[in-house]
Amino acid sequence: MSVPVITIDGPGGSGKGAISRALASRLGWHYLDSGSLYRVLGYAALRDDVSLDDEAALVALAGRLSTTCRLPAADSPAVLLDGRDINADLRTEAAGKAASKLAVLPAVRTALLDWQRHCRQPPGLVADGRDMGTVVFPDADLKLFLTARPGVRAERRYKQLKEIGKEADLAALRQEVEARDRRDSTRQTAPLKPAADAITLDNSDEDEARTLDSVLELVRDKL
Ligand code: DC
């Protein structure tokens, strides 16, 4: 029998990270934050002066990172690159924008597939991203698509950045959120969209605890 997977896709600021991590922790499953992987690559490209449209150089960089980088676990947001926790650097808009830019490149996405699928380990995996249910784990046991209005998502990002001591401008963040949605949803390869068999939840008017309750109910019904 294959290892069970729950996918939670959605745009930035929909709360999918917090919900996926909490769900993985409740179930005692592994957690894949696939956005971190794109962000790590964006961060390393900026650091090493690799151009965000140099597909071959980015593929080579992804190969090197897959052996030196440790992704976050359900109980810890730390992302270790060469032994250093770079999670705070990954949460900046610069890293998010870089990730979104290189994520349009098909060869880069292919280069990251094995790394992501390797996270499917017993007893189960909760995977969050943009194409978890459509491309990476099309046979997932339960597929959710979490979303919220752009203004609400920009406010959530604003709070997250303040919490980690980063400067933030709400109006600029809203523009970034909308630009990133456009880029992620209109790209040719693996665009942001619900899988045909996904359940969509809009949590604009719900806090994290309520959203987690709704998700747990769906999980109980399904598994
Ligand atoms: O979820 P996030 O904000 O950390 O993701 C950062 C960017 O990475 C996002 O704008 C697009 C890209 N991404 C992707 O293309 N596919 C994924 N499965 C996850 C993220």
Side-chain angles (χ1 to χ4, degrees):
M1 233 181 65
S2 64
V3 175
V5 183
I6 297 173
T7 58
I8 306 190
D9 287 306
S14 59
K16 64 190 159 51
I19 296 296
S20 301
R21 185 174 284 121
L23 178 62
S25 165
R26 287 277 185 106
L27 296 171
W29 287 11
H30 299 281
Y31 166 57
L32 167 63
D33 172 1
S34 61
S36 272
L37 201 126
Y38 287 88
R39 283 173 184 262
V40 169
L41 190 55
Y43 166 83
L46 295 175
R47 182 195 64 181
D48 298 355
D49 266 337
V50 172
S51 163
L52 296 173
D53 55 10
D54 186 341
E55 207 161 12
L58 289 165
V59 167
L61 185 57
R64 287 200 296 281
L65 294 177
S66 67
T67 58
T68 57
C69 175
R70 215 198 67 208
L71 292 175
D75 57 357
S76 157
V79 181
L80 298 183
L81 183 58
D82 303 325
R84 194 170 74 84
D85 181 6
I86 57 162
N87 186 46
D89 300 307
L90 297 186
R91 296 298 122 205
T92 61
E93 272 310 299
K97 194 170 172 187
S100 168
K101 282 190 175 165
L102 58 84
V104 305
L105 303 171
V108 169
R109 303 197 70 84
T110 305
L112 297 177
L113 269 181
D114 281 353
W115 192 358
Q116 295 174 84
R117 289 187 176 143
H118 180 71
C119 298
R120 188 174 193 170
Q121 304 277 348
L125 175 71
V126 178
D128 107 51
R130 303 289 188 290
D131 61 341
M132 297 297 101
T134 50
V135 175
V136 183
F137 303 109
D139 63 333
D141 300 79
L142 175 65
K143 300 180 185 179
L144 302 176
F145 190 84
L146 212 56
T147 190
R149 292 188 296 274
V152 173
R153 291 189 281 116
E155 267 172 39
R156 289 177 184 164
R157 277 269 190 234
Y158 180 80
K159 277 196 199 139
Q160 280 169 359
L161 289 172
K162 287 279 170 192
E163 270 165 25
I164 58 170
K166 301 269 177 198
E167 272 310 305
D169 175 79
L170 188 56
L173 272 177
R174 169 131 192 192
Q175 282 182 356
E176 289 278 355
V177 159
E178 289 179 349
R180 196 122 71 81
D181 283 358
R182 247 191 323 276
R183 197 182 302 116
D184 292 348
S185 323
T186 57
R187 69 181 177 223
Q188 292 288 315
T189 311
L192 168 67
K193 65 165 191 213
D197 49 351
I199 300 168
T200 296
L201 298 173
D202 184 321
N203 67 2
S204 299
D205 303 312
E206 284 182 358
D207 63 9
E208 205 175 296
R210 283 276 306 275
T211 309
L212 183 60
D213 281 346
S214 315
V215 168
L216 284 169
E217 206 167 302
L218 290 168
V219 171
R220 270 193 294 269
D221 286 350
K222 190 76 187 186
L223 299 185

